[in-house]
Amino acid sequence: MFPFVLPWNDAAPSVTDLSGWLDAPAGSRGFIQAERDGHLYAGRQRVRFFGVNFCFGANFPSHDDAEKIAARLAKFGVNIVRFHHMDMQPFPNGIRAHDSKSTRELDPEALDRLDHFIAALKRHGTYANLNLLVLRPFNAADGLPAEIEKLELKERASVGFFYEPILELQKEYARKLLTHRNVVTGLAYTEDPVVAFVEINNENGLLHSWLGGQLENLPEVFARDLRRQWNEWLRGRYSSTEKLQAVWGGNGERPGGVIGLANEECVEEGTLPVFTKAQWGERTAEAQRDWMRFLSEMENRYWQSMGHFLKDELCVHALVMGTIVGCSTPDLMARFDAVDTHAYWQHPQFPGKSWDNENWFVSNLTMVNERGGILPGLALHRVLGKPHCVTEYNHPAPNTYGNEGFPMLAAYAALQDWDAIYAFAYSHRHDDWDTQHITSFFDIDQHPTKMATLIPAIAMFVRGDVHPAREQVVAALDGEHEVDLLRRAHAWGLIDASQLGVPRETALVHRVAIDVT
């Protein structure tokens, strides 16, 4: 054994320097486009992205460090950076103003540092992916009811799918960030072709939230609003209790004593309760289908509202994505420019409290002998005709087999003919870029062997050393089938091609997609 440390700021020319593969400055061929063949293009040239995530304070390096980091990324061939987790904390660990009780103000120094970092990346040929909502702690100082602070952070974001004031706060944040004019380039982020993607809401969805139990114990101020909209939806669909009862059935009228419409439930008076996971099995299949239709339509209303706001009001030229398929449905995410997925092999587990640094374990298992491991699951979420992205992927430390992760992902992504894959993450730190040791489960900037494997991985995927599979297997999915599948879905895996008759093993030899048209 001997110390093996890669310099954090190395951009010296060498045989492994891939910076010449990048088309600098980023955006010189115009905005990245999603074409009819379902792939990404810069001008007339197809482009594949191999990226890394920057999280929390790492998004805001000093001006001097920003140039060195951008040059190092270019040397490794990294051609896109996903700016993630900017919204959770005040500066220096986030973009929010450090002297404000609300979450509505952006910090001037954070914006200045972000501007210089993105400008440096652009000069070296590296694009940006800007995330809007990740884990923002909406609070009473934002003008929301005080009860919002009784909810966990993900639950607060879930309320935003149906509660208009939180949606408006998300739009306000998007406006402040994306219309901000970069002090170096002189361009707003809405008009700068260095911005390849804008992501609306990380790992979230109304269906996902309900299936995960995040809406079970809402404070009454939010529960009342959801209940009102549910009853309005039912009145719009059925107009009367009699018509609803004809479809759902009455109390105990179905085999097994399940309930369609209980005696006290009246459409005209709006007295139907929201459905809960605990009582799910007590409702008839038709009642369940309507609840899933309602959640799906409500979620789609949110996605379309945000999408239209970005494209039509802010005039964002970048490609827009919603969230990952898995936390939302293939059909809902297919309405955006590109489709996203995430996966981790042997993600850290926390037997006690979530993210407890004193009580965790990572299973020390290899993925090589696991019939593709987590990779087929990514393929089974692909939507036909849409660029397919994997914006988070890793085999977290201290798994001693972790170095197999990025080469396996790259080879498989090339076989499947995907369009973008990202390592999660480059760094979460706002300072000390030269620790000379592995700093966390996920960060690879000081992980010497994971950084070294980026070079063959990028050659396989970006340069195309591995050719796409010749044949493609497509599974059809219509709206009513999707509704029925949602009745038996779980929060982190709503719908994929395996539920449509495609065996996982198929994705190891053929390209796979879901057709939602």
Side-chain angles (χ1 to χ4, degrees), residues 226-367:
L226 182 60
R227 189 166 58 247
R228 172 186 62 79
Q229 294 180 65
W230 167 229
N231 279 273
E232 288 176 355
W233 186 89
L234 288 169
R235 277 197 299 273
R237 186 174 177 87
Y238 294 105
S239 74
S240 71
T241 302
E242 182 181 5
K243 291 180 180 179
L244 179 59
Q245 188 170 6
V247 176
W248 283 16
N251 190 359
E253 290 184 2
R254 299 293 179 92
V258 292
I259 299 171
L261 195 64
N263 293 332
E264 69 276 9
E265 295 172 352
C266 176
V267 169
E268 292 85 352
E269 296 180 12
T271 57
L272 276 87
V274 299
F275 289 0
T276 65
K277 283 285 289 179
Q279 299 169 323
W280 186 238
E282 299 174 8
R283 292 285 181 172
T284 62
E286 286 302 325
Q288 291 178 353
R289 290 187 185 97
D290 268 341
W291 177 248
M292 287 303 173
R293 290 186 185 103
F294 165 71
L295 292 180
S296 184
E297 289 183 23
M298 291 290 292
E299 181 174 331
N300 184 56
R301 187 176 72 179
Y302 165 88
W303 292 124
Q304 294 306 307
S305 178
M306 283 297 300
H308 288 307
F309 175 75
L310 294 174
K311 291 285 191 178
D312 300 335
E313 294 192 39
L314 300 189
C315 298
V316 169
H317 286 81
L319 302 177
V320 174
M321 293 192 289
T323 192
I324 60 170
V325 174
C327 291
S328 189
T329 69
D331 175 59
L332 293 180
M333 292 302 98
R335 304 177 194 196
F336 289 105
D337 297 318
V339 171
D340 195 11
T341 51
H342 295 168
Y344 293 87
W345 174 251
Q346 304 306 322
H347 192 283
Q349 297 186 50
F350 303 90
K353 183 176 64 175
S354 294
W355 298 103
D356 185 346
N357 287 329
E358 303 298 324
N359 184 15
W360 57 267
F361 68 90
V362 171
S363 297
N364 196 42
L365 299 173
T366 177
M367 197 173 77

Side-chain angles (χ1 to χ4, degrees), residues 38-243:
H39 295 302
L40 301 174
Y41 285 81
R44 296 183 179 180
Q45 179 177 320
R46 180 165 174 200
V47 58
R48 279 176 168 167
F49 286 115
F50 194 110
V52 293
N53 284 258
F54 277 63
C55 302
F56 297 107
N59 293 295
F60 317 104
S62 69
H63 296 175
D64 185 53
D65 288 347
E67 173 60 30
K68 295 173 182 177
I69 294 165
R72 187 193 191 209
L73 291 173
K75 179 174 180 175
F76 277 88
V78 173
N79 59 1
I80 193 165
V81 165
R82 183 173 183 246
F83 289 85
H84 188 61
H85 260 308
M86 293 196 296
D87 61 337
M88 183 179 177
Q89 299 184 43
F91 183 76
N93 289 313
I95 200 170
R96 292 177 19 234
H98 69 280
D99 57 354
S100 175
K101 293 182 179 179
S102 82
T103 69
R104 299 176 65 176
E105 303 305 321
L106 306 186
D107 191 273
E109 185 173 354
L111 283 170
D112 179 77
R113 290 189 175 205
L114 181 69
D115 288 347
H116 280 79
F117 188 23
I118 290 179
L121 293 169
K122 181 176 182 176
R123 286 193 300 274
H124 287 279
T126 301
Y127 289 81
N129 173 339
L130 299 177
N131 292 189
L132 297 180
L133 178 60
V134 181
L135 212 59
R136 179 179 171 184
F138 296 104
N139 60 34
D142 294 333
L144 298 171
E147 291 89 339
I148 192 69
E149 297 180 15
K150 296 180 180 179
L151 299 174
E152 298 293 333
L153 298 189
K154 271 294 185 183
E155 293 173 334
R156 300 181 198 187
S158 299
V159 171
F161 282 96
F162 63 86
Y163 188 68
E164 193 73 19
I166 294 181
L167 173 61
E168 291 305 313
L169 288 171
Q170 292 177 49
K171 291 179 178 178
E172 178 187 64
Y173 175 88
R175 184 185 296 277
K176 289 182 177 180
L177 175 63
L178 298 175
T179 63
H180 164 75
R181 196 164 294 277
N182 187 304
V183 296
V184 181
T185 66
L187 297 172
Y189 289 122
T190 57
E191 61 190 19
D192 192 338
V194 72
V195 182
F197 300 95
V198 172
E199 295 181 26
I200 294 174
N201 196 329
N202 181 68
E203 293 185 349
N204 211 351
L206 186 59
L207 289 157
H208 161 83
S209 299
W210 185 82
L211 289 164
Q214 293 176 350
L215 304 180
E216 295 287 277
N217 298 299
L218 290 176
E220 179 58 21
V221 62
F222 306 121
R224 181 171 60 246
D225 199 43
L226 182 60
R227 189 166 58 247
R228 172 186 62 79
Q229 294 180 65
W230 167 229
N231 279 273
E232 288 176 355
W233 186 89
L234 288 169
R235 277 197 299 273
R237 186 174 177 87
Y238 294 105
S239 74
S240 71
T241 302
E242 182 181 5
K243 291 180 180 179

